[in-house]
Amino acid sequence: MSSALVQHGFQGVTEHTVDSTLIISFENRLYRLEANAIYNILEIINKDLGNQYNKLILISKKQDIPLIACELNLNDFQALKVGEISIQQFKQKLVVSNSSSYFNSINKTSINSGNYKIEIVVEPTLGLALGGFPDPVLHQINLNPILNIFLWKGATVKLQGIFPLSNEIEVPEEKYIRPGILSFNQQIRLPKDIFVNAGIGYFTSNRYGGNLSAKKFFINGNLMLQGSLGYTGNASYPQIIGEDQHLKKWQYSNLNYLDYAVGANYWLAKYNLRIGISYGKFLNEKRAIRAELFQNFKETRIGFFALKTEGGNNYGMQIAVPFFPKKYWKPKIISVRPPTHFRYTYHSKQSYIKDYWTGNNNFEQTMNPSLVKYQLLGLLQKQN
């Protein structure tokens, strides 16, 4: 079965058995949707399984770190395919979890390793300034290619460039080609469903330095507590020295700013709804409380947020729309693909809390067990 999955395009594939249970781990860089990857694996291996196994465990990894396990009875899956049981009956027996005793059993050499590969993601971005005079709508369109270099387990180098295509917003520094992110991130999964990420380098919002973050999951991933601590300085490139001249030279301050944040998120599985609240000290000595609500509609994610700060309040919305196509080319040593989603954030006021992103993998937005189960059942129902 492993060779068939590798031939299809899956990476980091391992396969072994415990009694009558077949355990397969894999890394998906082939499908935009993780549930789509699981569905296609079921279709591929179902042809060759026969009756030699009773139980199947599919372990989905990112950067060789196991994140979710899909457990099902193979007889139930085959019965669903021929219409002997309903999707509701199959749903009651299907288990998707973010923690499994089988995670410790996949520490073996994989086929078609998912690490030591280079990936180029070409991402368009849109910025809007609304409500101005005399132009009520000003736009900014950039193309931000990202070079992801996957090193060892959980380690990534991310290099992002910003290429302006069209800019009506009068910010001189943003008229030029410039770096967006130049960072290294190491993510580690610890016991008790704890994830730690350390990032160093040049981040978004013109920050450089280091950041340490941790996430702890409860209730099968539906409750997440998180915290972060950063120590950064300001950096920019290029430095503007006149109205019509610019000097391509790094300008930076000393590392002198400490930021922090703590928060909690809860996933309402019945409604595909995530609610969250957080408090922190962000950039420019601003402290804020943030409340947010995100709803998933298949692969589209729409969210609303509100901020309460010492200097006033703000609110807005975020939207993430799936980006074509659903399936990418087979990963190679160097792979080129679009982003999974097109994202846009709207603030009601121009003065808002600024934060930065180190380039770390926020996997909980798409790899929540309840969300993956909902999406997988939708695909099974559609095809059967």
Side-chain angles (χ1 to χ4, degrees):
M1 259 93 58
S2 296
S3 58
L5 296 181
V6 170
Q7 186 177 7
H8 191 76
F10 291 104
Q11 297 183 307
V13 178
T14 69
E15 174 189 344
H16 65 286
T17 59
V18 177
D19 298 326
S20 59
T21 299
L22 174 63
I23 306 165
I24 295 175
S25 72
F26 66 95
E27 186 144 349
N28 167 41
R29 294 195 188 136
L30 190 62
Y31 292 95
R32 183 180 65 208
L33 187 67
E34 200 66 25
N36 212 329
I38 295 173
Y39 173 81
N40 279 274
I41 290 176
L42 289 173
E43 289 292 300
I44 293 169
I45 66 177
N46 185 51
K47 301 173 184 178
D48 303 320
L49 283 176
N51 297 316
Q52 52 185 319
Y53 304 109
N54 293 327
K55 191 175 183 181
L56 174 66
I57 312 292
L58 295 178
I59 298 175
S60 180
K61 303 179 291 187
K62 292 295 182 187
Q63 296 178 246
D64 211 28
I65 297 176
L67 295 181
I68 58 173
C70 179
E71 305 182 20
L72 59 107
N73 185 291
L74 288 170
N75 292 329
D76 290 338
F77 177 69
Q78 291 164 354
L80 176 67
K81 295 292 293 181
V82 297
E84 293 180 356
I85 64 173
S86 67
I87 191 70
Q88 290 300 320
Q89 292 173 307
F90 183 77
K91 175 183 178 180
Q92 294 175 1
K93 298 181 180 181
L94 174 66
V95 177
V96 182
S97 65
N98 72 330
S99 183
S100 173
S101 60
Y102 294 102
F103 283 172
N104 296 326
S105 66
I106 62 174
N107 293 324
K108 55 186 294 185
T109 302
S110 61
I111 302 175
N112 193 23
S113 174
N115 293 319
Y116 308 104
K117 297 291 192 297
I118 297 174
E119 178 183 81
I120 300 174
V121 180
V122 183
E123 179 179 20
T125 61
L126 172 66
L128 296 174
L130 305 177
F133 181 83
D135 295 321
V137 179
L138 298 176
H139 72 268
Q140 182 185 74
I141 301 174
N142 296 331
L143 193 63
N144 300 354
I146 300 174
L147 175 64
N148 292 316
I149 304 174
F150 300 102
L151 302 176
W152 50 86
K153 184 175 182 177
T156 307
V157 170
K158 186 179 292 289
L159 309 175
Q160 180 196 53
I162 301 176
F163 293 79
L165 299 181
S166 179
N167 188 2
E168 294 180 334
I169 301 175
E170 294 298 325
V171 180
E173 294 90 338
E174 296 184 0
K175 293 181 179 180
Y176 306 104
I177 297 173
R178 60 197 185 277
I181 299 175
L182 309 171
S183 68
F184 167 81
N185 280 273
Q186 174 69 65
Q187 184 163 260
I188 301 173
R189 177 167 189 158
L190 301 176
K192 307 293 184 181
D193 299 326
I194 297 174
F195 291 81
V196 176
N197 186 89
I200 59 172
Y202 178 68
F203 312 138
T204 61
S205 299
N206 301 118
R207 307 305 295 180
Y208 83 100
N211 180 277
L212 184 67
S213 62
K215 301 171 183 177
K216 163 66 175 172
F217 292 89
F218 302 88
I219 319 175
N220 194 30
N222 287 334
L223 174 62
M224 181 185 75
L225 303 181
Q226 61 183 334
S228 67
L229 184 67
Y231 192 61
T232 64
N234 185 77
S236 62
Y237 180 92
Q239 176 187 358
I240 305 302
I241 60 174
E243 292 184 0
D244 301 318
Q245 297 179 344
H246 70 280
L247 175 65
K248 290 188 175 181
K249 179 181 178 181
W250 281 103
Q251 180 186 27
Y252 57 91
S253 68
N254 294 328
L255 292 170
N256 56 10
Y257 190 79
L258 183 70
D259 63 85
Y260 57 85
V262 293
N265 285 269
Y266 189 76
W267 183 270
L268 297 171
K270 183 178 180 180
Y271 305 103
N272 289 318
L273 188 69
R274 178 172 65 86
I275 56 176
I277 187 168
S278 60
Y279 170 80
K281 175 191 172 188
F282 301 94
L283 300 182
N284 302 320
E285 297 292 340
K286 291 187 177 181
R287 293 170 174 82
I289 298 175
R290 176 187 172 105
E292 58 186 23
L293 182 150
F294 284 84
Q295 174 78 57
N296 281 73
F297 301 94
K298 295 184 178 179
E299 294 187 66
T300 299
R301 187 166 60 251
I302 299 176
F304 300 90
F305 60 86
L307 290 162
K308 181 176 179 59
T309 73
E310 298 166 337
N313 302 327
N314 203 340
Y315 61 88
M317 66 170 294
Q318 291 179 331
I319 185 169
V321 180
F323 209 96
F324 177 86
K326 290 184 177 181
K327 183 180 179 182
Y328 310 125
W329 299 283
K330 281 187 181 181
K332 299 180 180 179
I333 296 298
I334 299 178
S335 298
V336 180
R337 68 167 183 82
T340 59
H341 290 76
F342 176 79
R343 297 173 176 85
Y344 177 74
T345 301
Y346 166 77
H347 289 85
S348 64
K349 298 179 182 179
Q350 291 298 316
S351 58
Y352 52 86
I353 296 296
K354 291 191 69 175
D355 198 6
Y356 60 85
W357 178 50
T358 70
N360 61 311
N361 180 16
N362 295 316
F363 62 86
E364 67 276 1
Q365 296 181 4
T366 56
M367 298 287 281
N368 176 276
S370 297
L371 175 63
V372 172
K373 181 176 180 178
Y374 163 79
Q375 293 170 333
L376 177 60
L377 289 169
L379 289 170
L380 289 169
Q381 188 173 26
K382 182 179 180 180
Q383 299 298 326
N384 294 285

